[in-house]
């Protein structure tokens, strides 16, 4: 493969390798203490809360354009809050009072839930799924009593249904269809079946039938731009890749918005790449849980040197799992474009711990 990428797929692979190496080096050079991880998570959580809040506010201000930052950065918000929730009991173990910090973390979760839900309903799915996974992993890793009871599960479902119902009511009262969960569901129902049929009929082992793409006869049958890194990155490096912008985005939406990611990756790069992607996701998850066992054993033997890494791994692994499930099996947009960069970063943040453990 040439050093200068010739296709979207090559560009994605090269950037993924660069991010993996960079994160691995960073995690092994910087002393990742619990206080440093806590500081990082707080800054990231507060910053994304403000970003999501400003974006949600733009929905109600005339003449302002919103950007739906929850798609690309939602998993990073999940990384921040789960890392905080994992760090709190570790701090208690070493005698640090965390009552005020716990309250602040809960406040962040509430605000992100509200403003993120206003921006996009798919974010709520990723968010609630991530919180459930994260709390479960924390309870198992720290050997805490499970917080999940039948009563709490029922209450959680009721809260989710009430949230979606409130958004639908608000959209009708304000005549803002952009807030309506039912409208989004109807759009997917209307377009998803035809999109699935198009993908299945035209996908091959290494791409798709060229004439089925928007580019028609000019298409090469692979890496057509349906799955890509941010267009700004492609333009920055002056790479001659097919990109969608302007009105063409409506053509990309057939893959990007109406289908799960497995269909998007299969159509643009072929079934082989889809299978390799799924295999990589399984490898990242298995590796993450194996390393968590190692960190737990060290902590229970009295070794406090890995508390920061353990909290960071719990947060990054949770965010990775949640984004993978939502992006690959529900909505491709949650793992495409800038969100694909986030996915690469979270993946690297998990796998980088392998070198830490082996070095030790």
């Amino acid at each position: 493969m040439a050093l200068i990428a010739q296709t979207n797929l090559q560009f994605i692979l090269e950037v993924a390798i660069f991010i993996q190496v960079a994160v691995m080096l960073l995690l092994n050079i910087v002393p990742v203490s619990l206080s440093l991880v806590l500081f990082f998570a707080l800054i990231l959580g507060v910053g994304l809360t403000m970003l999501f809040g400003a974006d949600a506010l733009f929905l109600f201000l005339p003449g302002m354009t919103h950007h739906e930052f929850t798609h690309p950065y939602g998993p990073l918000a999940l990384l921040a809050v789960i890392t905080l929730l994992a760090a709190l009991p570790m701090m208690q173990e070493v005698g640090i009072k965390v009552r005020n910090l716990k309250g602040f973390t809960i406040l962040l979760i509430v605000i992100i839930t509200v403003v993120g839900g206003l921006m996009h309903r798919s974010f709520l799915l990723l968010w609630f799924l991530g919180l459930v996974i994260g709390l479960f992993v924390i309870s198992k890793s720290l050997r805490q009593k499970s917080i999940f009871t039948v009563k709490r599960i029922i209450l959680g479902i009721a809260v989710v249904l009430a949230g979606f119902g409130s958004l639908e009511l608000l959209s009708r009262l304000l005549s803002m269809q952009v807030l309506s969960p039912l409208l989004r569901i109807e759009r997917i129902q209307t377009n998803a079946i035809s999109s699935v049929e198009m993908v299945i009929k035209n996908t091959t082992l290494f791409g798709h039938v060229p004439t089925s793409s928007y580019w028609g006869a000019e298409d090469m049958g692979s890496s057509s731009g349906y799955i890509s890194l941010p267009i700004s990155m492609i333009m920055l490096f002056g790479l001659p890749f097919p990109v969608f912008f302007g009105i063409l985005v409506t053509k990309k939406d057939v893959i990007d918005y109406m289908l799960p990611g497995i269909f998007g990756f299969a159509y643009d790069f072929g079934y082989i790449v889809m299978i390799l992607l799924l295999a990589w996701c399984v490898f990242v998850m298995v590796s993450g849980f194996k390393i968590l066992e190692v960190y737990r054993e060290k902590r229970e033997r009295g070794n406090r040197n890995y508390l920061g890494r353990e909290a960071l791994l719990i947060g990054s692994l949770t965010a990775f799992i949640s984004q993978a499930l939502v992006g690959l099996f529900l909505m491709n947009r949650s793992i495409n474009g800038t969100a694909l960069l986030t996915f690469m970063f979270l993946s690297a943040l998990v796998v980088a711990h392998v070198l830490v453990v082996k070095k030790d």
Side-chain angles (χ1 to χ4, degrees):
M1 183 173 66
L3 290 178
I4 299 178
Q6 304 298 308
T7 66
N8 275 306
L9 179 57
Q10 290 183 11
F11 189 43
I12 290 170
L13 291 175
E14 289 182 2
V15 172
I17 293 172
F18 176 82
I19 292 175
Q20 180 67 68
V21 172
V23 172
M24 189 169 287
L25 289 174
L26 182 66
L27 204 61
N28 281 272
I29 293 174
V30 177
V32 186
S33 63
L34 185 59
S35 58
L36 179 64
V37 169
L38 187 67
F39 177 75
F40 159 77
L42 280 171
I43 294 299
L44 182 63
V46 171
L48 289 176
T49 301
M50 295 174 64
L51 184 67
F52 294 169
D55 204 26
L57 182 62
F58 290 162
L59 285 172
F60 303 93
L61 297 179
M64 302 299 292
T65 303
H66 64 277
H67 299 83
E68 297 189 354
F69 290 120
T70 51
H71 274 309
Y73 304 127
L76 295 181
L78 196 54
L79 163 66
V81 299
I82 296 300
T83 299
L84 285 172
L85 290 175
L88 293 178
M90 295 179 185
M91 294 175 68
Q92 282 183 312
E93 285 184 6
V94 296
I96 301 176
K97 295 181 180 180
V98 297
R99 182 176 180 181
N100 292 336
L101 185 57
K102 184 177 181 180
F104 183 73
T105 302
I106 293 174
L107 178 62
L108 282 182
I109 293 174
V110 172
I111 295 175
I112 292 175
T113 301
V114 173
V115 297
L118 285 173
M119 284 307 307
H120 220 282
R121 268 53 67 198
S122 64
F123 168 76
L124 284 181
L125 293 175
L126 178 142
W127 185 246
F128 286 127
L129 177 63
L131 289 177
V132 170
I133 294 173
L135 292 172
F136 178 79
V137 172
I138 291 171
S139 65
K140 291 298 181 181
S141 184
L142 300 178
R143 301 191 188 279
Q144 297 176 336
K145 182 179 178 181
S146 176
I147 66 168
F148 298 107
T149 62
V150 175
K151 182 178 180 180
R152 286 175 177 174
I153 292 174
I154 294 175
L155 179 61
I157 295 174
V159 170
V160 172
L161 293 176
F164 278 93
S166 300
L167 280 174
E168 182 63 30
L169 179 62
L170 186 63
S171 70
R172 297 190 180 190
L173 290 175
L174 300 178
S175 298
M176 296 180 65
Q177 290 188 332
V178 70
L179 299 177
S180 172
L182 292 180
L183 177 64
R184 300 284 177 154
I185 295 173
E186 290 172 1
R187 285 183 60 192
I188 293 175
Q189 288 178 334
T190 302
N191 297 279
I193 294 179
S194 59
S195 298
V196 169
E197 291 177 348
M198 188 274 284
V199 166
I200 293 177
K201 289 179 180 178
N202 294 286
T203 300
T204 64
L205 286 178
F206 300 100
H208 53 264
V209 177
T211 53
S212 65
S213 168
Y214 171 78
W215 310 105
E218 297 179 1
D219 186 53
M220 299 298 292
S222 181
S223 295
S224 302
Y226 290 96
I227 303 295
S228 70
L229 291 175
I231 293 176
S232 57
M233 284 186 65
I234 296 173
M235 303 298 289
L236 175 66
F237 292 106
L239 300 172
F241 302 159
V243 293
F244 290 83
F245 48 123
I247 196 170
L248 297 184
V249 172
T250 59
K251 302 296 183 181
K252 185 179 181 180
D253 274 352
V254 175
I255 303 294
D256 187 42
Y257 187 78
M258 303 301 174
L259 289 178
I262 53 172
F263 289 106
F265 279 86
Y267 179 78
D268 213 15
F269 306 128
Y271 287 120
I272 297 297
V273 170
M274 181 199 74
I275 293 172
L276 291 175
L277 175 62
L278 292 175
W280 173 255
C281 290
V282 172
F283 168 75
V284 173
M285 294 178 195
V286 172
S287 299
F289 284 116
K290 289 290 185 182
I291 299 166
L292 270 182
E293 291 180 5
V294 175
Y295 285 163
R296 183 179 64 191
E297 291 174 0
K298 292 179 180 295
R299 172 169 42 80
E300 291 177 345
R301 290 200 300 263
N303 189 338
R304 305 294 182 184
N305 296 329
Y306 294 89
L307 294 181
R309 296 183 187 276
E310 185 178 4
L312 181 61
L313 179 56
I314 291 174
S316 54
L317 181 59
T318 297
F320 176 83
I321 293 173
S322 185
Q323 186 180 10
L325 291 176
V326 173
L328 291 175
F329 300 105
L330 291 177
M331 185 172 291
N332 186 49
R333 186 164 295 183
S334 297
I335 198 175
N336 199 4
T338 305
L340 184 54
L341 276 178
T342 299
F343 188 70
M344 292 176 181
F345 174 71
L346 292 173
S347 167
L349 208 53
V350 174
V351 176
H353 289 264
V354 173
L355 184 60
V356 176
V357 172
K358 285 187 175 296
K359 184 181 67 173
D360 183 65

